[in-house]
């Protein structure tokens, strides 16, 4: 009985360590915004030929497993987040996402698109990370909530 309990305890500890490693390696680094899409509409092209990675107006940089910085057009921000993993595959990682706080550090002009992005990013409750395959250029990260729209980001 005690041997079985110890085996489950050891396996549980290794499982928790694996999640931490995935969190830091999975989301950490800079993500560039591609666009806002809807689950209700069939898109032919998410990252089309005209997309310029360097000219993205919105950039989220997940510094580690808990902190991020954000460039929302002219707005500069920082915050904390937490994730929990529900499904982990070879090329796909998904789970819950919670934006704990987003602090805007400056106060330049904010347009309607900036406000919508900021609201959707703050209200995100789930994520999906799809790692690039041989024929793709970017890893893809979607952040969404319970509504039909989601934010799509890429990294090289």
């Amino acid at each position: 009985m005690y041997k079985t309990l110890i085996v489950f305890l050891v396996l549980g500890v290794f499982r928790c360590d694996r999640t931490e490693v995935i969190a830091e390696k999975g989301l950490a680094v800079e993500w560039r915004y591609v666009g806002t899409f809807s689950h209700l509409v069939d898109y032919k092209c998410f990252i089309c030929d005209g997309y310029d990675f360097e000219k993205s107006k919105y950039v989220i940089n997940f510094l580690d497993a808990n902190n991020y910085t954000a460039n929302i057009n002219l707005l500069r921000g920082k915050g904390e987040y937490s994730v929990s993993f529900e499904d982990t595959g070879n090329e796909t990682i998904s789970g819950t996402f919670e934006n704990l706080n987003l602090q805007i550090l400056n106060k330049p002009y904010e347009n309607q698109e900036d406000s919508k992005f900021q609201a959707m990013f703050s209200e995100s409750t789930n994520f999906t990370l799809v790692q690039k395959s041989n024929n793709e250029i970017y890893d893809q990260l979607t952040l969404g909530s319970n509504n039909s729209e989601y934010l799509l980001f890429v990294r090289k």
Side-chain angles (χ1 to χ4, degrees):
M1 177 68 178
Y2 290 114
K3 290 179 184 178
T4 305
L5 182 61
I6 291 173
V7 169
F8 283 121
L9 183 62
V10 169
L11 289 175
V13 168
F14 283 122
R15 178 74 178 152
C16 291
D17 289 344
R18 182 173 177 258
T19 302
E20 284 290 323
V21 171
I22 291 171
E24 290 181 19
K25 290 185 179 179
L27 294 181
V29 283
E30 182 178 274
W31 291 92
R32 305 260 176 142
Y33 177 70
V34 175
T36 301
F37 298 96
S38 173
H39 294 291
L40 303 176
V41 180
D42 183 25
Y43 283 92
K44 295 180 181 177
C45 176
F46 291 107
I47 306 167
C48 300
D49 292 335
Y51 175 72
D52 188 347
F53 183 82
E54 301 301 324
K55 291 185 179 179
S56 180
K57 294 192 300 184
Y58 307 124
V59 178
I60 305 297
N61 189 2
F62 294 104
L63 304 171
D64 54 34
N66 297 89
N67 300 294
Y68 67 85
T69 60
N71 294 338
I72 304 171
N73 199 1
L74 300 174
L75 300 169
R76 303 295 174 253
K78 69 176 185 173
E80 297 175 352
Y81 72 101
S82 70
V83 293
S84 63
F85 298 92
E86 296 172 358
D87 186 22
T88 305
N90 289 339
E91 297 177 3
T92 304
I93 301 169
S94 63
T96 61
F97 177 88
E98 184 179 4
N99 194 341
L100 301 174
N101 63 358
L102 170 60
Q103 300 173 342
I104 300 301
L105 304 174
N106 63 347
K107 295 291 181 187
Y109 174 76
E110 181 178 337
N111 63 33
Q112 186 176 10
E113 187 179 350
D114 298 343
S115 298
K116 181 179 179 181
F117 177 90
Q118 185 177 342
M120 287 185 68
F121 178 65
S122 295
E123 296 167 2
S124 294
T125 58
N126 58 62
F127 78 95
T128 303
L129 171 83
V130 179
Q131 297 177 357
K132 62 185 165 191
S133 61
N134 295 337
N135 59 349
E136 295 182 16
I137 301 171
Y138 305 109
D139 290 339
Q140 299 178 22
L141 173 68
T142 60
L143 293 176
S145 61
N146 294 333
N147 65 19
S148 62
E149 291 186 313
Y150 60 91
L151 303 170
L152 176 63
F153 298 87
V154 293
R155 72 174 173 197
K156 286 188 177 183

